Amino acid sequence: MIAIVEQPTLWQRVRPVLAVFDAPLAGGLLLLSAIGMTIMYSAGFDHGTRFVDHGRNMALGFVVMFLMAQLPPQKLMRLAVPLYTLGIALLVATAMFGITKKGATRWLNIGVVIQPSEIMKLAMPLMLAWWFQKREGQLRVPDFAIAGALLLLPVGLVAKQPDLGTAILILSAGLYVIFFAGLSWKLILPVLGAAAIGLVALVASADTICEPDKVWPLLREYQKHRVCTLLDPTTDPLGKGFHIIQGMIAIGSGGVGGKGFMNGTQTHLEFIPERTTDFIFAAYAEEFGLAGAAVLVCAFIFVILRGLVIAAQAPTVFTRLLAGALSLSFFTYAFVNMGMVSGILPVVGIPLPFVSYGGTAMVTLGLALGMLMSISRSRGLMQR
């Protein structure tokens, strides 16, 4: 008797490999990647190998995401405390022995030059999710106080470097975990009320507090200058205000339908500063207009909502808190970047995910999204 062995089809071979990806989330990310590559070709056309390098960074981000998705949430949980401890130790070492560039001490030489604050973008939500998992069923106000201390320590170290953009990302990631853990609205609303009052007071008294001889506590002079320039960019049109003014001109000149691919005058005449990194949204809005910007915003909303769905269906407290924080961290990236380019937020140097050029940011985002994929996969395995 002759045995006939059927060879598996290509799809049968590939399917187990692709099973680690959450299909809707992967689809949203591919759309963002396509938009990113398209505008990078235009904005970086005369910028050396920026387009090719962006494609390489994006491929690296997807590889990192795929590898991270292989780790089950149980292993991610075991990484929380060691990664947080390592991050704090490296931040302290940076404060003592770090490399200073342009007035900021953000880098540390350990044989290779690294930026330890990047570690805390992931270590922070991991650590707080681990903490609340351990306190499940017995949460008290002191537990939230300890979580706040765990959060403020790295935020303070990063802000002191100074690196306000990264500090905002770490702070927001931690606050999202604390919020999802069940922090009472009685504690949240007074803070939001005080922030709103402070914002109104800041705008109302801008002329007085922005005088050159006024010193702002806790902020450096250049940080004060950024805020004051945001309130009135025309006070420094050729300095810090130049970024904001040119970004708003580019976005406004795009109109509804945009000037067309490769036809952005503000972009190609180099009026937009950092047009392939922090201000790439201005280049995109100029060439694709309000319609293109709406597509980009909808793509971000889809990815964020899919992440929140994964969080809502996650099987444990740790995975729910981690997935929720990572999803809203993606929102923070997009909102702050678009806000600063549009002139409604200070310029703090936060990239637009999968659109802005950058290798380190792409790897960090890949790791975060890989964790989301891992949580989604674990939910699927438990339902079988």
Side-chain angles (χ1 to χ4, degrees):
M1 181 179 293
I2 301 175
I4 300 177
V5 180
E6 293 186 1
Q7 294 292 330
T9 63
L10 179 61
W11 171 245
Q12 289 174 328
R13 294 177 180 178
V14 173
R15 185 177 180 181
V17 177
L18 297 180
V20 300
F21 289 112
D22 180 88
L25 182 59
L29 295 176
L30 287 174
L31 176 57
L32 285 175
S33 300
I35 292 174
M37 291 301 294
T38 300
I39 191 59
M40 187 59 67
Y41 183 84
S42 177
F45 182 74
D46 55 352
H47 213 292
T49 60
R50 190 55 57 98
F51 172 74
V52 176
D53 292 343
H54 187 56
R56 178 204 62 204
N57 293 339
M58 199 170 288
L60 178 60
F62 275 98
V63 169
V64 168
M65 181 174 66
F66 173 78
L67 295 175
M68 180 58 71
Q70 310 298 319
L71 293 178
Q74 295 82 356
K75 290 188 177 180
L76 292 178
M77 190 171 174
R78 286 197 291 268
L79 286 173
V81 176
L83 192 62
Y84 178 85
T85 305
L86 174 64
I88 293 296
L90 290 175
L91 286 176
V92 172
T94 301
M96 297 173 63
F97 314 109
I99 299 171
T100 302
K101 297 179 182 178
K102 297 181 179 180
T105 308
R106 304 174 185 173
W107 301 270
L108 184 66
N109 190 339
I110 56 172
V112 293
V113 177
I114 62 170
Q115 188 173 347
S117 57
E118 290 292 326
I119 298 174
M120 296 309 301
K121 292 180 183 179
L122 301 176
M124 193 71 259
L126 276 170
M127 181 64 192
L128 292 185
W130 172 88
W131 169 249
F132 286 115
Q133 173 71 61
K134 293 298 182 183
R135 304 300 298 166
E136 182 183 8
Q138 51 184 341
L139 274 177
R140 300 291 185 272
V141 172
D143 297 317
F144 286 102
I146 292 173
L150 291 171
L151 172 60
L152 291 178
L153 176 59
V155 170
L157 289 171
V158 174
K160 192 175 184 299
Q161 291 181 348
D163 187 353
L164 186 58
T166 303
I168 288 173
L169 292 173
I170 297 171
L171 177 64
S172 62
L175 289 177
Y176 294 142
V177 176
I178 294 173
F179 171 75
F180 285 128
L183 184 65
S184 173
W185 282 102
K186 293 179 181 179
L187 298 175
I188 297 174
L189 290 178
V191 175
L192 292 179
I197 293 172
L199 183 61
V200 172
L202 177 66
V203 174
S205 60
D207 292 340
T208 302
I209 63 177
C210 288
E211 292 179 357
D213 59 336
K214 295 292 182 181
V215 178
W216 289 14
L218 303 179
L219 290 182
R220 305 262 182 121
E221 181 63 26
Y222 81 93
Q223 292 171 330
K224 169 197 168 184
H225 192 48
R226 281 183 179 179
V227 176
C228 292
T229 304
L230 170 69
L231 296 173
D232 185 6
T234 59
T235 58
D236 190 11
L238 298 180
K240 297 296 182 182
F242 184 80
H243 294 66
I244 300 172
I245 292 170
Q246 296 304 322
M248 291 191 293
I249 290 174
I251 293 171
S253 65
V256 176
K259 297 179 179 177
F261 180 58
M262 298 287 291
N263 290 325
T265 52
Q266 294 294 116
T267 301
H268 293 288
L269 293 177
E270 300 186 7
F271 283 102
I272 301 176
E274 308 296 338
R275 66 185 187 276
T276 61
T277 52
D278 294 344
F279 276 72
I280 196 167
F281 177 69
Y284 176 79
E286 182 186 25
E287 296 193 355
F288 295 96
L290 178 63
V295 171
L296 180 62
V297 170
C298 287
F300 278 117
I301 292 174
F302 178 83
V303 170
I304 294 163
L305 289 179
R306 181 57 189 168
L308 292 176
V309 168
I310 292 172
Q313 298 176 346
T316 66
V317 170
F318 173 78
T319 51
R320 285 196 296 272
L321 295 179
L322 180 60
L326 293 176
S327 301
L328 289 187
S329 292
F330 203 72
F331 158 78
T332 303
Y333 269 98
F335 177 75
V336 174
N337 179 275
M338 292 181 186
M340 71 181 191
V341 173
S342 304
I344 61 174
L345 292 174
V347 178
V348 291
I350 292 179
L352 191 61
F354 288 88
V355 182
S356 295
Y357 178 84
T360 304
M362 196 71 74
V363 170
T364 303
L365 288 167
L367 290 170
L369 291 165
M371 292 179 187
L372 267 180
M373 296 285 187
S374 171
I375 295 169
S376 175
R377 184 181 178 218
S378 69
R379 175 204 61 191
L381 291 174
M382 293 188 68
Q383 291 175 347
R384 291 177 185 174

